[in-house]
Amino acid sequence: MPFIPHTEEEVRQMLDAIGANSIEDLFDEIPADLRSFSLDKIPEGLPEMEVAHLMHERARKDSNVHCFIGAGAYDHHIPSAVWEIATRGEFYSAYTPYQAEASQGTLQLLYEYQSMMSALMDMDVSNASLYDGASALGEAILMAIRAHRKSKSKKILVPKSLHPAYRQAANAIVKNQDIELIEIPFESATGKTSLAALSEYAGTDITALVIGQPNFFGVLEDVDGLTRWAEENNTMTIAVVNPLAMSVLKPPGQWGDNGADIACGEGQPLGIPLSSGGPYFGFMCATQKIVRQMPGRIIGRTVDLDGKPGFSLTLQAREQHIRRSKATSNICTNQGLMVTAATIHMSLLGAEGLARAAAGSHDKHRKLVSGLSAIEGVEVKFDSPVFNEAVISLPVDNATVLEALAADNVLAGFDLKKDYPELGNALLVCATEKHSAASIDLFIEKLGALLAS
Amino acid sequence: MPFIPHTEEEVRQMLDAIGANSIEDLFDEIPADLRSFSLDKIPEGLPEMEVAHLMHERARKDSNVHCFIGAGAYDHHIPSAVWEIATRGEFYSAYTPYQAEASQGTLQLLYEYQSMMSALMDMDVSNASLYDGASALGEAILMAIRAHRKSKSKKILVPKSLHPAYRQAANAIVKNQDIELIEIPFESATGKTSLAALSEYAGTDITALVIGQPNFFGVLEDVDGLTRWAEENNTMTIAVVNPLAMSVLKPPGQWGDNGADIACGEGQPLGIPLSSGGPYFGFMCATQKIVRQMPGRIIGRTVDLDGKPGFSLTLQAREQHIRRSKATSNICTNQGLMVTAATIHMSLLGAEGLARAAAGSHDKHRKLVSGLSAIEGVEVKFDSPVFNEAVISLPVDNATVLEALAADNVLAGFDLKKDYPELGNALLVCATEKHSAASIDLFIEKLGALLAS
Amino acid sequence: MLIFEQSSKGRVAHAQSPATKASLDDLPADMLRETPPLMPEVSEMQAVRHYTRLSQKNFSIDTHFYPLGSCTMKYNPRACNSLSMLPGLVDRHPYAPDSHSQGFLSCMHDLQEILKEVTGMKAVSLSPMAGAQGEFAGVAMIKAYHESRGDMARNEIIVPDAAHGTNPASAVMCGYKIQEIPTRDDGDIDVDALKEVLGPQTAGIMLTNPSTVGVFERRIQEIAALVHEAGGLLYYDGANLNAILGKVRPGDMGFDVIHMNLHKTFSTPHGGGGPGAGPVGVSERLEPFLPIPMIDYDGTNYRFITADDRPQSIGRLSAFAGNAGILLRAYIYARLLGRQGMTRVAEYSTLNANYMLKKMKAAGFEAAYPDRRATHEFIITLRKEAKDLGVNAMDFAKRLLDYGVHAPTTYFPLLVPECFLIEPTETESIDALDNFVEAMIKIREEAETGADRVKGAPYTLPVRRLDDVKAARELDIAWKPAE
Amino acid sequence: MLIFEQSSKGRVAHAQSPATKASLDDLPADMLRETPPLMPEVSEMQAVRHYTRLSQKNFSIDTHFYPLGSCTMKYNPRACNSLSMLPGLVDRHPYAPDSHSQGFLSCMHDLQEILKEVTGMKAVSLSPMAGAQGEFAGVAMIKAYHESRGDMARNEIIVPDAAHGTNPASAVMCGYKIQEIPTRDDGDIDVDALKEVLGPQTAGIMLTNPSTVGVFERRIQEIAALVHEAGGLLYYDGANLNAILGKVRPGDMGFDVIHMNLHKTFSTPHGGGGPGAGPVGVSERLEPFLPIPMIDYDGTNYRFITADDRPQSIGRLSAFAGNAGILLRAYIYARLLGRQGMTRVAEYSTLNANYMLKKMKAAGFEAAYPDRRATHEFIITLRKEAKDLGVNAMDFAKRLLDYGVHAPTTYFPLLVPECFLIEPTETESIDALDNFVEAMIKIREEAETGADRVKGAPYTLPVRRLDDVKAARELDIAWKPAE
Ligand SMILES: Cc1ncc(COP(=O)(O)O)c(C=O)c1O
Ligand SMILES: Cc1ncc(COP(=O)(O)O)c(C=O)c1O
């Protein structure tokens, strides 16, 4: 019996103690007519060795690709130490740190995480994580609505240049609470959120404006202009940023005159493997004055009975286990282990290492894009500074190109046609510091050959 | 500077404290004329990311083979837990447990290891490891010579059916001490050590007889007969065994009338990956009465100042750091981490799991051999019970077959021609419980097709 | 000491980033960061040492018995971790095309099928990222269902007083009002009270069965009939699925929608606070509303089911496909257990809980529901000890830590005073259970000779009891360098 | 509690072996085992929990400052472990054909080349499995060399009194007698004494430089000339290579043969007692005698050099090719460091040692060689403290553990009374060094108020001081069940 330690003799001894004849007896409160069904479609158990066979085989099927897709998930270098430590049993197999005294490892780490994220965003406070970037945006919108007491509209302006999946997920999360997400178009030449379109809403009651940096196209938004617009219109700002990029780009706390109110996003670039899209972690930072509206766990530094410093969950009165239906969010289990990895990752890189990774990544992207755009018929779509990825347009059908290159194990980018048909045959392509020059050349060569043929 | 924490300012501060102008000054006792050389042929340092690229590429070159070579190194299932725990920093990056109080983890584990090995061999005592199986045989021979005070000959009988590399290594290790290794032939029909040939030495002064079980051909030796011969001739016995096999085969402690005197061998089948032949670990067990002649570290259970049980290195007076030129061996660093893994491995499998692994391995081997020997012209070489591997003879040149199959990524076995030309076109083939039926069928099919063509 | 306090200005772990910083000269200066963030500046070894040592300050399943009720802290097989991190899986991009994803997609599809079978539901979506998000998805589906039928008046969700806090919080996020109903002294729901609150405003009811008081709701079929008659739907909070896995199925009890906590029942690690995975399963009528993406199999190829296939879907809850790596771990676990092994999960977790309950009672501790079978967990109340000896449940909990046992869940569910919700799980041996009972007896003995020793606990941990009031009042949640 | 004491008869971790035991009916009954060995019978979780908790009882580089002289306990980069265990490497069979081994072989070949360059030797064999086996190989080559020249009378190896115990032990294993020579008060070898023992019976001398007393042997060139004149060869014990890596090369000093401790200088883990790797490098005249196998590269392919290629080889020292996985780790480390990084190893380990020495002296501790530069390590003698305060080096060592610092090497080399051999390594920060000095000062202060506190140490570890005498007298080295 895998993972069950009981010997037959022990089972007998336990049943005797209980005063039951069989294990089956212990289920005698369950109505008998609920007990007949078959599990035949579930396979027989296998020893670890056989499951390992199976998983190796399946993993092999998805292996050995040259992947140039970014679109919200980025393949950066992760030091070996990160996951060797994060998967230590004491981190890996602990529960949420409710018993503070028995969880100082996790608690101190989370406090350090909060400190690092606050610094990276240049914001006052951080929570200890949300599920992922997209759902964090949903939570940020709900938080803005709670925090912006003067605004009654529940209207949120969301640029169309924001990741489509983020817009969809945020909508799914907030739509049942009569919140309206209003789409703001982007300028077709620059790919930036249109300040002209925004001006339509000037003077009206808007609860918050969402600003992505970089936006889904990799394009750098005019974050100062957008934030100032919000400041002038009594609108809160929600920054959705790539945290690694913030090691080199102006962070949300410095946008406009007073900085963004809330910063959130996807923590994945900070030491989390691609892993088919998850588990990643959503981060959220905010200004001090709205900390009590923040969802999720928060760790505080305090002292013990002897006056020795220690850490514990704090501001729990915001949370569902105390406040139930009046909580700031329903979130309970968050993404602790991912934050553990990210904290170790950030410690190993430091500000300098993060900046070098970001710049190195951007550099590889420039090499890729300059190679691709030198191909006859391939063009860079937007006339704007970008970070780490860019939209290119192809002279022929997107899908055909993607399929042909995939046959050579080159995954050539994210197909924008479905979400942005107005962009024509456009691909979002990305390279990071991890891409070898050979891999980048292969892509350029294959695309060149394909388009020449 | 990878792995060096010093900032420029700290270096200055430290040099000031020392009273030196530069780091270079600290080397001023080295004669100046020794200081000019170039390291230009050593490559520049690379960040971890680039070294990872390089290693992935190299690893890929050696991947994805169907390997049917055993010959002293066996690919058995290793539970994931084994190496996840063995590579925890506290085990991985600790030194030899000289400071017992700060090393109770390693010390207790080693005590448990000694207990498990003693049980597996059914011998009184075990040391805490030697380098590998072959060098352990060398040490066992030296130990026998120290222990067998009455024997003056320094003659050791070594069956030719023992692993050729073991014979070579043992010889390299003992030959400078006027020790003579005498080769005992095997019976050509059975592959077993020839008792007839042995009888030549009856009544002469022989220090020890080496007995392999199974022998290099996978053949089970008549261990009782051989041990009795030694007992009758006042000769010590050194068992060289596959420890996993001992979970199902009669262990050295039960051979003959009184059991073997020393048991040694290669610990690799107990949770150590193939890893190109090392690091593995040599084990050594013995009877209580010759424990003081045993080489290597030994851990003992004792008590602390408060009477609490604890563990420490014991019988250190045998060792080089105390006895210097009079030590039982020069061994210092041994294979601690491998033993750590093996101990966890044995705990996870237990006696029943080890026996199932051994029997399962043997079973896969039987399937392989029955499939191979059904091929026209392929024959099983010896008419003897074997464990886990067997010698087959081919109707055509060995090398050609091996090369042809290798082109299909099937590594078809160990070529015996060089070490045993008398066996003709013979291969030593092996399968373990880890081989899938599909992989075994592939080998059979490819060999069949090749020989039919 | 904090990692920040080990920093030295300019220290860099050089193996971990490119040797130089590449130029960003194509970016306008006013978009760049002027001063670097205040991050730790430590060597690789300092980071490794710091976090290795921090880890040692935790209790965890790999180090301690952890009978935390409602949390199912059972052994997390190490193979689930290592096999889910194989190259090809760990580095698969979420937008890799189906042609290069058949390995991953087949695992996800198989997991959907296994979860369907073992819960008795018609269809499963794996995408919710934890139990609470599963609850949200479930209630959102209930809402979408009513709305799709034009049934707009249903604005209430019924929740028992014993329910987990996420239940009401999730319903509120879907725009519902909460109706609370009481639990009876025997642990079952008060069906009369339920009847009273049922009506045309009822959208549905959220239940767990076994409930959070550790007993099986015996009248579940009657409750299902009543709710369905009133036009409401039944939501099953799967946090306690471990108790009944392979023994009885929520789908057969009459539930319309359920979530599963794979980080409980399917043993994916809890990681010091997640990540989890909260797949949802539904009966036929809710299938169109399931959150995307899901995985389809046409007999040859696996592919993602997207919004195009499911126009009525409540939508997507994550940027990609949920906590994929956690789902892989659950899949590996499911294959290790197989059909038989799943049934044994319920059997042996129930055996362990009933054995412990019996021993606790024999030792003189008071069971909250003395006449009921324990399920996979049970409640004792320490109100007698609190009153007679002046040591409450929290004191017992803290002192248990000194005995090398993680405390059970305390003060939840709220309706039982001074309660311990104890869940041993199936992976603990009889020795661990006996040890716990002995520790409890010893602590009571200590308390009998004076409350102070117990109230001062713990003594052997990295810190003693922490000042939570100070933590909240003098909020220090991000380190700032001393001025 | 021992793992055996957690056993329960019949308990099996079922995921870890085939579901049933296959038949062995083709094997004769009298060759089979009748009763199973007495092994632990535990669940997977019990084993995981037991060994995880045991691990926590260790000091290690990943958790503590570990300034163990002569042992070079520096940071073991985690990448060296994970990259050496990539599929393709970790599962390569030692007898896989060259055609399917080019990845592995190229790493081994490159490592040989790097080690040649950085030591200044003509050729390198990677096969010895630890320092001591490297010594054995080295001395065996010296012997083979003399014998190949018909020079059979040389039967002595000279060893300084400060030498590590393995040196004489290894020479004896090669059939040599040992001639010991003294170390002078300034730490250098007594060259006059050397001259006296040199003669036609001299096979060679074994030295380390810097020596085990932590100073650089200044007259090394003169010594080399003397020994060579006498017809002997020079053996270099590379345990202290960390001190001079990239700064000065044993080959240039005149050594004929050297071993390297990769588990020291090249940072492969010490693993609680190994495995190590002790490659040997030689000058031209010893090249034919190198132990097999080695790796050859013809510009296209890599292959093993075997006995066929090297008829004069001293032979093979292991069944396969030595501790291959450790060699991979060393190779990865070498690539991470590169040329420049190697030189920095010597520079910063020397800087750290000299800084500590200076601070220790300033704090009033007595240096054994006060007028000498420290190399990567240095010796202090606590004879004054032992005499005045009644606390000896061992007492200081044990008390340091309470301060969270692993003790330096004590009582080695034997010639300095009450000695600490302190080796901080290059990977420690100034803070760690300062901490150590402060702890030493505090311990001395404690001792000044009475010896007992220090003599009773350690207090904060899993056990207090152990009874080694009892351990040896009442030998308990294998667990037996209570009758
Ligand atoms: C009964 C119950 N319901 C719901 C949840 C919420 O699940 P999660 O923490 O995964 O969001 C929990 C977990 O704590 C629970 O115990
Ligand atoms: C000076 C010296 N020589 C030789 C050795 C022996 O090396 P190993 O332990 O690798 O056999 C050591 C290691 O302890 C040493 O310090």
Side-chain angles (χ1 to χ4, degrees), chain D residues 19-309:
Chain D
T20 53
K21 189 173 150 199
S23 160
L24 293 167
D25 60 9
D26 59 329
L27 303 184
D30 68 342
M31 291 190 166
L32 296 181
R33 182 164 193 140
E34 281 165 10
T35 48
L38 200 70
M39 306 288 269
E41 299 179 275
V42 296
S43 71
E44 185 165 327
M45 183 173 75
Q46 285 179 303
V48 166
R49 195 177 277 171
H50 178 71
Y51 291 108
T52 300
R53 294 191 69 155
L54 271 194
S55 78
Q56 294 180 337
K57 296 186 176 181
N58 276 357
F59 276 37
S60 68
I61 270 295
D62 279 9
T63 53
H64 295 84
F65 181 38
Y66 212 123
L68 201 63
S70 204
C71 300
T72 312
M73 291 297 281
K74 58 169 145 180
Y75 175 57
N76 303 144
R78 299 304 291 186
C80 300
N81 183 48
S82 51
L83 296 176
S84 70
M85 290 180 82
L86 290 175
L89 295 176
V90 77
D91 50 14
R92 183 186 162 272
H93 193 282
Y95 290 139
D98 293 351
S99 59
H100 289 67
S101 308
Q102 293 295 301
F104 170 70
L105 292 174
S106 62
C107 295
M108 293 301 99
H109 178 265
D110 291 358
L111 178 61
Q112 276 177 197
E113 295 300 305
I114 290 170
L115 296 179
K116 265 162 60 176
E117 290 302 313
V118 80
T119 58
M121 306 308 286
K122 174 69 193 341
V124 162
S125 164
L126 302 171
S127 58
M129 291 180 287
Q133 208 186 34
E135 294 173 18
F136 173 84
V139 179
M141 284 189 273
I142 290 175
K143 186 163 193 180
Y145 167 79
H146 291 309
E147 287 179 356
S148 77
R149 294 159 35 107
D151 191 352
M152 314 302 271
R154 298 187 179 273
N155 66 350
E156 273 183 21
I157 290 281
I158 301 167
V159 171
D161 56 356
H164 194 264
T166 50
N167 291 185
S170 299
V172 163
M173 278 183 80
C174 291
Y176 282 114
K177 278 191 245 154
I178 304 301
Q179 264 294 352
E180 211 174 80
I181 53 167
T183 302
R184 298 184 343 166
D185 285 350
D186 67 0
D188 286 339
I189 281 178
D190 187 333
V191 175
D192 295 331
L194 171 63
K195 284 182 191 155
E196 266 167 43
V197 299
L198 280 172
Q201 78 291 1
T202 300
I205 184 169
M206 299 180 83
L207 292 176
T208 67
N209 194 14
S211 72
T212 58
V213 304
V215 301
F216 191 87
E217 180 60 58
R218 289 169 292 196
R219 293 167 74 182
I220 183 62
Q221 291 155 301
E222 186 187 344
I223 293 170
L226 286 167
V227 174
H228 282 150
E229 261 162 45
L233 298 186
L234 282 90
Y235 181 91
Y236 181 87
D237 173 345
N240 293 340
L241 195 62
N242 215 59
I244 57 167
L245 201 67
K247 286 306 216 186
V248 55
R249 308 190 302 180
D252 300 337
M253 295 183 209
F255 284 94
D256 300 284
V257 49
I258 101 168
H259 86 259
M260 296 149 257
N261 290 56
L262 299 188
H263 44 304
K264 298 180 178 181
T265 314
F266 282 75
S267 197
T268 68
H270 212 283
V280 281
V282 292
S283 60
E284 191 150 3
R285 53 182 158 187
L286 289 182
E287 188 172 359
F289 308 103
L290 278 167
I292 51 160
M294 283 164 285
I295 316 300
D296 190 32
Y297 180 50
D298 64 9
T300 316
N301 284 305
Y302 299 88
R303 69 169 189 97
F304 278 115
I305 296 173
T306 63
D308 294 341
D309 305 292

Side-chain angles (χ1 to χ4, degrees), chain A residues 165-360:
Chain A
Y166 280 44
R167 290 182 280 133
Q168 291 157 20
N171 186 49
I173 291 165
V174 308
K175 74 175 171 204
N176 289 316
Q177 298 187 55
D178 302 324
I179 294 163
E180 192 188 345
L181 305 186
I182 300 169
E183 192 171 282
I184 306 293
F186 55 87
E187 299 170 352
S188 61
T190 64
K192 290 186 195 184
T193 298
S194 164
L195 271 162
L198 207 56
S199 66
E200 251 186 56
Y201 300 93
T204 68
D205 178 8
I206 297 292
T207 308
L209 167 67
V210 175
I211 307 172
Q213 183 73 328
N215 70 22
F216 186 57
F217 307 131
V219 165
L220 298 189
E221 297 276 7
D222 174 9
V223 292
D224 288 324
L226 293 166
T227 307
R228 279 197 197 98
W229 183 92
E231 286 166 350
E232 281 156 19
N233 288 280
N234 294 317
T235 295
M236 292 189 89
T237 43
I238 299 172
V240 181
V241 302
N242 174 336
L244 180 61
M246 293 306 112
S247 65
V248 294
L249 299 182
K250 186 185 282 188
Q254 297 169 15
W255 294 357
D257 293 323
N258 304 311
D261 298 289
I262 301 171
C264 66
E266 178 52 75
Q268 182 271 332
L270 300 173
I272 313 299
L274 288 175
S275 183
S276 293
Y280 296 169
F281 69 93
F283 64 87
M284 181 180 282
C285 292
T287 56
Q288 179 78 43
K289 71 171 188 281
I290 56 175
V291 62
R292 286 187 156 73
Q293 298 306 334
M294 190 140 71
R297 302 228 158 80
I298 300 175
I299 281 73
R301 181 155 64 161
T302 181
V303 296
D304 76 357
L305 274 180
D306 298 334
K308 190 172 160 188
F311 304 85
S312 67
L313 292 169
T314 193
L315 299 184
Q316 296 191 65
R318 298 164 302 110
E319 291 191 70
Q320 47 70 32
H321 64 284
I322 307 285
R323 281 288 282 276
R324 302 179 69 85
S325 64
K326 297 194 178 56
T328 54
S329 165
N330 68 338
I331 194 167
C332 176
T333 291
N334 58 26
Q335 307 283 113
L337 191 67
M338 303 295 119
V339 165
T340 304
T343 307
I344 301 168
H345 184 86
M346 287 190 278
S347 298
L348 280 165
L349 273 79
E352 174 66 20
L354 291 171
R356 285 191 202 170

Side-chain angles (χ1 to χ4, degrees), chain A residues 29 35 101 111 120 308 334, chain C residues 33 247 273 398 462 476:
Chain A
E29 292 189 0
R35 298 292 310 284
E101 298 83 359
Y111 175 87
L120 195 54
K308 190 172 160 188
N334 58 26
Chain C
R33 181 164 196 141
K247 286 306 216 187
K398 298 297 184 195
D476 172 0

Side-chain angles (χ1 to χ4, degrees), chain C residues 98 101-102 105-106 108-110 112-113 116 124 126 287 293-306 309-310:
Chain C
D98 293 350
S101 307
Q102 293 296 302
L105 291 175
S106 62
M108 293 300 99
H109 178 265
D110 291 358
Q112 276 177 198
E113 295 301 305
K116 265 163 60 178
V124 162
L126 301 171
E287 187 171 359
M294 284 165 283
I295 316 299
D296 191 31
Y297 180 51
D298 65 8
T300 315
N301 285 303
Y302 299 88
R303 70 172 187 95
F304 279 115
I305 295 173
T306 65
D309 305 291
R310 295 288 173 99

